[in-house]
Amino acid sequence: LTSFIKTSGGKGYHIVVPIKPKVDWEEAKNFTGLIAKVMEKKWPDRYISNMSKKKRKGKIYVDYQRNGRGATSVAPYSLRARKGATVSMPISWDQVDSIAPGDITLETALDYITKEDPWKGIFEVNQSLKGKKKEAKKTKSKLP
């Protein structure tokens, strides 16, 4: 699936996967939960989807719970009410190693929006989750 990434303006990144609405909310949430479980199983020392801050220590928290109906996430280009006036900013996958989730501020955001849009083409992506759940389950069953 084609994906895009943005800083949260806080402590994490948000991965955005544009899909055509061919499955319901619950099925989409179940799919993202399955992806989180595959990540945990394949890289247990790196990823976790458990909300417990105590269990998450030293790991990357995969918050698939935000994929339910009515769940919220900060919008791209949103100014956050945080120290330094951080911004949730679309970035390219190439920038992940050099831009931390809270690096972009109100002061520096204009530097980023004058460059090429890292989300160019996001609205033209034509993909759905139909059939993807079966692929993810197959991948999970192959892991040790």
Side-chain angles (χ1 to χ4, degrees), residues 77-110:
Y77 305 104
S78 292
L79 184 62
R80 304 297 305 273
R82 294 178 175 264
K83 185 178 180 181
T86 57
V87 177
S88 174
M89 182 67 73
I91 61 174
S92 70
W93 283 105
D94 294 341
Q95 293 173 302
V96 171
D97 289 335
S98 60
I99 300 174
D103 277 359
I104 301 173
T105 65
L106 178 61
E107 192 174 295
T108 62
L110 292 176

Side-chain angles (χ1 to χ4, degrees), residues 1-139:
L1 293 168
T2 300
S3 61
F4 298 82
I5 191 165
K6 69 180 185 71
T7 65
S8 65
K11 297 179 184 175
Y13 297 99
H14 294 168
I15 299 172
V16 177
V17 180
I19 57 170
K20 299 294 179 188
K22 296 184 179 184
V23 299
D24 63 25
W25 284 100
E26 198 59 34
E27 191 171 345
K29 183 177 177 181
N30 289 340
F31 175 78
T32 56
L34 182 58
I35 296 301
K37 296 299 178 198
V38 167
M39 292 170 71
E40 283 180 308
K41 196 170 182 181
K42 187 166 184 173
W43 301 287
D45 57 326
R46 189 168 195 185
Y47 299 105
I48 190 165
S49 63
N50 189 308
M51 271 188 192
S52 165
K53 287 190 177 189
K54 191 175 183 179
K55 291 182 181 178
R56 292 179 354 205
K57 194 163 179 104
K59 295 184 181 186
I60 297 170
Y61 175 48
V62 182
D63 185 3
Y64 71 91
Q65 301 292 337
R66 299 236 182 233
N67 293 303
R69 186 175 188 88
T72 61
S73 177
V74 64
Y77 305 104
S78 292
L79 184 62
R80 304 297 305 273
R82 294 178 175 264
K83 185 178 180 181
T86 57
V87 177
S88 174
M89 182 67 73
I91 61 174
S92 70
W93 283 105
D94 294 341
Q95 293 173 302
V96 171
D97 289 335
S98 60
I99 300 174
D103 277 359
I104 301 173
T105 65
L106 178 61
E107 192 174 295
T108 62
L110 292 176
D111 295 335
Y112 289 95
I113 62 172
T114 59
K115 298 176 179 149
E116 185 175 347
D117 181 4
W119 282 19
K120 185 178 180 179
I122 193 170
F123 297 112
E124 284 76 50
V125 174
N126 184 14
Q127 60 190 1
S128 77
L129 295 181
K130 283 276 191 201
K132 299 295 183 189
K133 190 173 181 181
K134 199 178 287 184
E135 289 178 43
K137 280 185 174 180
K138 192 188 300 184
T139 299

